[in-house]
Amino acid sequence: MTTLFLTVGLPGAGKTTRARQLAKEHSALRLTPDEWMIPLFGEPEADGKRDVLEGRLLSLAVEALRLGTNVVLDFGCWSRDERSAIRWLVKSVGASCHLVYVPVDHETQRARIAHRRSTTPNQTFPMSEADLLHWRTLFEEPDAAELDGDEIDGPPPGWTGWLEWATERWPSFT
Ligand SMILES: Nc1ncnc2c1ncn2[C@@H]1O[C@H](COP(=O)(O)OP(=O)(O)O)[C@@H](O)[C@H]1O
Ligand SMILES: [Mg+2]
């Protein structure tokens, strides 16, 4: 059975570092959106293009699983709905999904971001103290049941399924 590892955590937590280790251990295809956004657009968001790029990477991830290749999807997924949608999509192709949560406290996060900025400035972008505090309020931390359980929530009210939800969330997902 093929596996998709989905990274979860705030910027600077150490997700991509962990993703690289997992890719090596499991001969997995690693898909890290920042490694596409920054070379293509010089910035991490660029007017909604990140959603489009992530949709393409998600389609590629599902295709790789179908072909028997393990995947590390380094999306960082802050939202529980995003994680549920991806878990559902992975299950729908008969693969297993493993959430890889990389927790980080504020001080460690600051130190890691500063370290990255001084060692690999071209792989990152500026983040202010206010950004870090704001992002922390947006992050939906996964609980033990989500991390260890097989149960996947249903889609939010008004949605017929996760496939429809995912197509709206990531416009280029097919
Ligand atoms: N476990 C760790 N201990 C110490 N430093 C780490 C650890 N994991 C990552 N780092 C460093 O922290 C910085 C941010 O890591 P990175 O993997 O790029 O985070 P993310 O992908 O979550 O934004 C990098 O400079 C990396 O070398
Ligand atoms: Mg990263």
Side-chain angles (χ1 to χ4, degrees):
M1 198 195 234
T2 52
T3 301
L4 180 139
F5 299 89
L6 177 62
T7 62
V8 178
L10 288 164
K15 301 178 302 293
T16 301
T17 303
R18 185 87 185 89
R20 286 198 183 95
Q21 293 163 351
L22 286 166
K24 213 168 175 183
E25 284 165 28
H26 299 274
S27 302
L29 174 67
R30 178 173 60 86
L31 300 171
T32 295
D34 282 343
E35 290 181 1
W36 296 68
M37 289 304 294
I38 295 171
L40 279 170
F41 306 114
E43 51 175 313
E45 298 298 335
D47 240 353
K49 289 192 176 70
R50 191 183 185 93
D51 296 337
V52 178
L53 179 80
E54 286 186 354
R56 294 284 72 224
L57 295 181
L58 186 56
S59 300
L60 185 61
V62 171
E63 190 59 22
L65 293 172
R66 280 205 189 98
L67 294 169
T69 300
N70 296 324
V71 174
V72 183
L73 197 61
D74 187 17
F75 276 18
C77 281
W78 295 2
S79 123
R80 182 169 174 131
D81 281 348
E82 291 169 355
R83 300 189 292 263
S84 295
I86 292 171
R87 289 174 63 199
W88 187 91
L89 292 167
V90 170
K91 196 174 174 188
S92 75
V93 294
S96 69
C97 187
H98 191 81
L99 297 186
V100 181
Y101 176 36
V102 185
V104 73
D105 62 69
H106 183 70
E107 282 311 314
T108 308
Q109 183 187 22
R110 284 182 50 181
R112 289 189 182 167
I113 288 169
H115 175 262
R116 181 170 58 187
R117 197 124 190 95
S118 65
T119 53
T120 54
N122 58 333
Q123 289 170 28
T124 186
F125 51 92
M127 298 173 191
S128 70
E129 179 76 7
D131 286 336
L132 299 193
L133 292 171
H134 179 55
W135 293 339
R136 199 168 274 273
T137 67
L138 302 179
F139 180 64
E140 295 173 9
E141 186 175 40
D143 57 24
E146 187 185 355
L147 292 174
D148 302 331
D150 285 333
E151 290 291 303
I152 304 174
D153 296 339
W159 291 93
T160 49
W162 282 120
L163 188 58
E164 291 73 18
W165 189 92
T167 308
E168 173 86 11
R169 168 65 185 81
W170 295 287
S172 66
F173 176 70
T174 49

